[in-house]
Amino acid sequence: MGGPGNPPEGTPEGAPGGGEDEYRSVVFDESFVRAARLQEFSAEERIADHAPAVQRRPPLRRGLSRQALVLVLLIAVAFGTAIYMGVRHPYQTPAAQERDEPLRTTVVPLVPEGKVPGSADPAYLYEHSPAAQFKTGAEGVPLPASRRTAHFSDSQVVSALTTAKDYIVRSALDPAVLTGGEVRAVRVLLDTDQLDQFDQSFARPSADGHHAPTGWLVRFDPARAELADRNVRVQGTLRAAEADASTLEVTADHTFVYALRAAGAADEGGKDEASLFTLRRELHFRFDRDNLRLHQAQLVVSYVQAGPLSCAEDATNHLRPLLAGQTAKEGGPAGTDPYATGSATALCGSLATSAQPKV
């Protein structure tokens, strides 16, 4: 007898050897059967309903195919990338560009129309000049009444004004700075991004509008002049305003009047006569929240009118004032009064007679 599952006549010719069923590898599991599109009725169903032997089954509800899922995922990634690049694009925002803006400086020498008036008594000169009612020293730089802005609190506005005032006092009233020596007291109040420009200005002074030491601070040539009175007269204003949601701006406009005399005149037994030197200074400061926290400022504009000076003298590194009894070799354009509130545009002007003391 043949083995189990083998035909009595044996394995047909050409069939697989060893009695293996050639369809044994095909497995009709439950999922395969359920996935079939055609379904055969049972004999009982065919008898009862006289239905055809088979019916078409409705398609199974399946989830997304792998290709569709990948496509949806790619669209989601592309959409997310577009949003991210819109928020964090690689180009600088205007605020970032403004922050990196270097200081712009302008120094306008004012030439006297005749001899510089002088007196042995500096107080007499002050009393007979437009500075007679000016305050002395830091008292002439009062803080205005401050109010919060849309994005900055009262304390933050006060911090900006206080830092601006400190800069003004140190850079224009400190005798150590005025005599051409100290600069560190001013430097520490600057934003760290401006320190390179500040250092280059003193290492390599230039009249390029960015690297003039006299744009950063007030200092006289120690070989030319010295203070005859350390009580500098000052008058001016401070104003704070919000530039945008992350920036405060402070504008300072002050006139300083210094009593000067020739360097070493008293020691050498020379003529110890004083004269007045008037300097009007407009500064524009910018503060972000880090500046407010660190008590630092970004100085972006410095506009200075000063005299009596000579247009022939370079006022980039030091101010070289004309002193009592001296006259300028060269004149300049139309007269400019540093006590006036209008803005001057000349690169060299004439010091109006009304700005000089009446002696």
Side-chain angles (χ1 to χ4, degrees):
M1 292 182 64
N6 290 331
E9 295 83 2
T11 302
E13 184 178 355
E20 292 184 358
D21 185 353
E22 63 177 323
Y23 298 104
R24 186 173 297 172
S25 61
V26 180
V27 178
F28 299 98
D29 57 11
E30 183 180 355
S31 63
F32 180 85
V33 174
R34 293 178 61 186
R37 302 298 300 275
L38 297 177
Q39 179 183 10
E40 184 179 1
F41 288 106
S42 66
E44 183 179 352
E45 289 172 333
R46 291 198 299 272
I47 293 173
D49 297 336
H50 303 285
V54 296
Q55 69 172 346
R56 182 173 295 276
R57 299 178 65 181
L60 293 176
R61 294 183 179 179
R62 297 184 178 182
L64 292 174
S65 66
R66 178 177 298 177
Q67 291 85 351
L69 186 60
V70 170
L71 180 60
V72 171
L73 182 61
L74 289 176
I75 293 174
V77 170
F79 185 70
T81 302
I83 294 177
Y84 176 81
M85 293 301 292
V87 176
R88 295 288 302 275
H89 55 79
Y91 304 101
Q92 283 187 319
T93 62
Q97 292 173 350
E98 288 179 1
R99 178 177 173 81
D100 295 334
E101 180 183 356
L103 168 66
R104 303 190 307 274
T105 64
T106 304
V107 180
V108 181
L110 302 180
V111 181
E113 297 179 357
K115 287 186 178 182
V116 177
S119 171
D121 183 7
Y124 177 84
L125 293 175
Y126 282 129
E127 290 171 4
H128 293 81
S129 77
Q133 303 303 318
F134 284 14
K135 298 292 183 63
T136 300
E139 293 181 0
V141 192
L143 294 179
S146 60
R147 294 182 180 178
R148 62 174 302 146
T149 66
H151 299 93
F152 292 89
S153 65
D154 288 332
S155 62
Q156 289 175 316
V157 175
V158 170
S159 177
L161 290 168
T162 301
T163 303
K165 175 178 178 175
D166 288 347
Y167 188 94
I168 293 166
V169 170
R170 295 189 191 185
S171 63
L173 297 175
D174 185 350
V177 173
L178 296 175
T179 53
E182 174 65 36
V183 298
R184 184 181 179 279
V186 178
R187 187 181 188 273
V188 296
L189 291 176
L190 289 171
D191 184 283
T192 54
D193 290 342
Q194 290 192 302
L195 295 183
D196 286 343
Q197 184 186 2
F198 182 88
D199 293 339
Q200 290 175 14
S201 299
F202 290 88
R204 295 181 296 278
S206 173
D208 60 358
H210 298 289
H211 297 92
T214 49
W216 295 98
L217 47 81
V218 178
R219 66 175 187 174
F220 301 104
D221 184 352
R224 174 73 63 88
E226 63 186 24
L227 293 175
D229 186 350
R230 296 168 72 93
N231 296 317
V232 181
R233 304 300 197 271
V234 188
Q235 179 172 282
T237 60
L238 280 171
R239 297 189 306 274
E242 181 177 308
D244 53 51
S246 60
T247 311
L248 274 175
E249 290 185 344
V250 173
T251 302
D253 185 355
H254 292 83
T255 299
F256 305 85
V257 184
Y258 306 88
L260 304 176
R261 64 186 176 195
D267 297 338
E268 297 173 3
K271 186 179 180 181
D272 186 17
E273 196 168 54
S275 60
L276 297 186
F277 185 90
T278 307
L279 182 144
R280 182 181 170 197
R281 192 181 189 212
E282 299 177 42
L283 302 179
H284 292 236
F285 299 93
R286 187 176 293 143
F287 300 85
D288 59 25
R289 286 181 167 77
D290 286 339
N291 295 142
L292 297 175
R293 178 174 54 85
L294 298 173
H295 194 62
Q296 295 177 339
Q298 304 168 41
L299 181 60
V300 294
V301 176
S302 174
Y303 189 90
V304 176
Q305 301 168 263
L309 289 170
S310 173
C311 285
E313 298 274 8
D314 182 11
T316 301
N317 193 15
H318 292 91
L319 298 173
R320 298 187 170 111
L322 295 172
L323 302 173
Q326 295 180 338
T327 57
K329 295 181 180 179
E330 297 182 8
T336 302
D337 186 353
Y339 290 95
T341 57
S343 297
T345 57
L347 295 180
C348 185
S350 295
L351 183 64
T353 304
S354 59
Q356 297 276 40
K358 303 295 188 294
V359 296

